[in-house]
């Protein structure tokens, strides 16, 4: 049985919660290989691929030779757009490229379960009662985080939906990232030291990823 510490909406420790084994106690033959492949594809999909430079054929300028071929005593030279001259084009320039790689849904879900299981073994998962901020307040968010986890380290706060007041409250806190339970990914789980989920977020994650 895997358990996580539970906190109230005010940050008080009120007991423990039993985590579902279908999400937090998953194994496979080669978990490191699965995580490596899925995270590599995920990071490749984050690349914009917008790097672009002009080749000699795209740079503005005359195509006439700068000076005649022979008789000047200087090295022969082509037009002003040559890559050898300042302001000329780039030889073999980078062009926009699509780095997207489709990730199989079953493999993506397995990687998430493996990441959650690893985090649970390290006792880095915490559950908090559902929050309700009437207005954005970074001060209240900081006070809550100091009560739950005063230790330094990256924290991932997972909520059930995009509550604008909650998102704005935690947006300015250093070392705190936020995400929705239905969009959780293995890379985010492994990239943080502590994982905090609301009760509704835990239920949503179980409904979405356990199939």
């Amino acid at each position: 049985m895997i358990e996580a510490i539970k906190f109230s909406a005010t940050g008080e420790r009120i007991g423990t919660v039993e985590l579902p084994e279908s999400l937090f106690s998953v194994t496979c033959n080669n978990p490191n290989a699965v995580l490596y492949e899925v995270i590599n594809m995920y990071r490749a999909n984050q690349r914009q691929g917008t790097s672009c430079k002009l080749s000699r054929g795209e740079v503005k300028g005359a195509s006439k030779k700068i000076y005649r071929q022979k008789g000047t005593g200087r090295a022969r030279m082509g037009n002003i757009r040559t890559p050898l001259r300042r302001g000329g084009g780039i030889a073999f320039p980078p062009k926009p490229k699509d780095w997207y790689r489709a990730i199989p849904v079953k493999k993506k879900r397995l990687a998430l379960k493996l990441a959650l299981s690893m985090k649970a073994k390290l006792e880095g998962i915490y559950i908090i009662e559902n929050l309700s901020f009437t207005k954005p307040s970074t001060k209240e968010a900081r006070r809550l985080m100091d009560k739950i986890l005063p230790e330094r380290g990256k924290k991932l706060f997972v909520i059930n939906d995009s509550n604008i007041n909650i998102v704005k409250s935690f947006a300015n806190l250093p070392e705190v990232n936020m995400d929705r339970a239905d969009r959780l990914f293995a890379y985010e789980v492994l990239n943080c030291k502590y994982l905090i989920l609301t009760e509704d977020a835990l239920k949503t994650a179980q409904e979405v990823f356990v199939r």
Side-chain angles (χ1 to χ4, degrees), residues 1-197:
M1 183 175 65
I2 303 175
E3 294 183 341
I5 301 174
K6 182 178 179 180
F7 294 90
S8 66
T10 58
E12 304 296 333
R13 181 170 176 173
I14 56 178
T16 59
V17 176
E18 183 178 350
L19 300 176
E21 293 186 357
S22 55
L23 269 181
F24 298 91
S25 183
V26 178
T27 59
C28 70
N29 292 334
N30 197 345
N32 292 334
V34 175
L35 289 170
Y36 178 81
E37 182 180 358
V38 172
I39 289 176
N40 266 0
M41 288 191 285
Y42 173 82
R43 297 190 67 187
N45 293 344
Q46 307 308 306
R47 298 183 66 172
Q48 293 183 350
T50 54
S51 178
C52 183
K53 298 293 182 181
L54 300 180
S55 65
R56 67 183 300 167
E58 297 170 321
V59 174
K60 291 184 178 180
S63 59
K64 182 180 178 181
K65 285 172 65 69
I66 299 176
Y67 46 79
R68 60 182 180 167
Q69 179 87 350
K70 297 181 181 295
T72 63
R74 304 168 66 183
R76 50 190 161 184
M77 184 61 68
N79 58 46
I80 199 172
R81 298 180 297 176
T82 173
L84 302 178
R85 297 186 65 85
R86 182 177 180 182
I90 304 296
F92 308 108
K95 292 297 180 182
K97 180 178 178 179
D98 185 8
W99 294 93
Y100 177 79
R101 297 171 61 190
I103 305 175
V105 176
K106 289 185 178 180
K107 187 172 290 187
K108 180 166 61 175
R109 287 179 178 171
L110 176 59
L112 174 61
K113 294 174 185 179
L114 292 172
L116 290 173
S117 300
M118 293 173 63
K119 191 65 66 176
K121 288 181 181 179
L122 296 174
E123 299 182 353
I125 297 180
Y126 300 88
I127 307 299
I128 187 172
E129 290 182 335
N130 297 322
L131 303 178
S132 58
F133 283 35
T134 56
K135 63 178 182 179
S137 175
T138 303
K139 183 178 179 180
E140 291 298 324
R142 165 54 65 189
R143 185 179 302 167
L144 178 62
M145 294 304 298
D146 286 343
K147 282 186 176 181
I148 298 175
L149 284 172
E151 298 86 0
R152 297 196 60 180
K154 285 186 178 181
K155 306 172 182 68
L156 178 62
F157 199 174
V158 183
I159 57 178
N160 186 41
D161 53 14
S162 301
N163 187 308
I164 191 64
N165 292 332
I166 297 177
V167 173
K168 285 186 175 181
S169 298
F170 288 87
N172 292 328
L173 297 184
E175 298 185 336
V176 177
N177 296 322
M178 298 199 69
D179 201 357
R180 286 173 40 169
D182 56 352
R183 300 186 309 194
L184 203 56
F185 202 86
Y187 176 79
E188 299 172 312
V189 176
L190 295 179
N191 195 38
C192 70
K193 187 174 182 180
Y194 306 105
L195 178 63
I196 307 170
L197 300 99

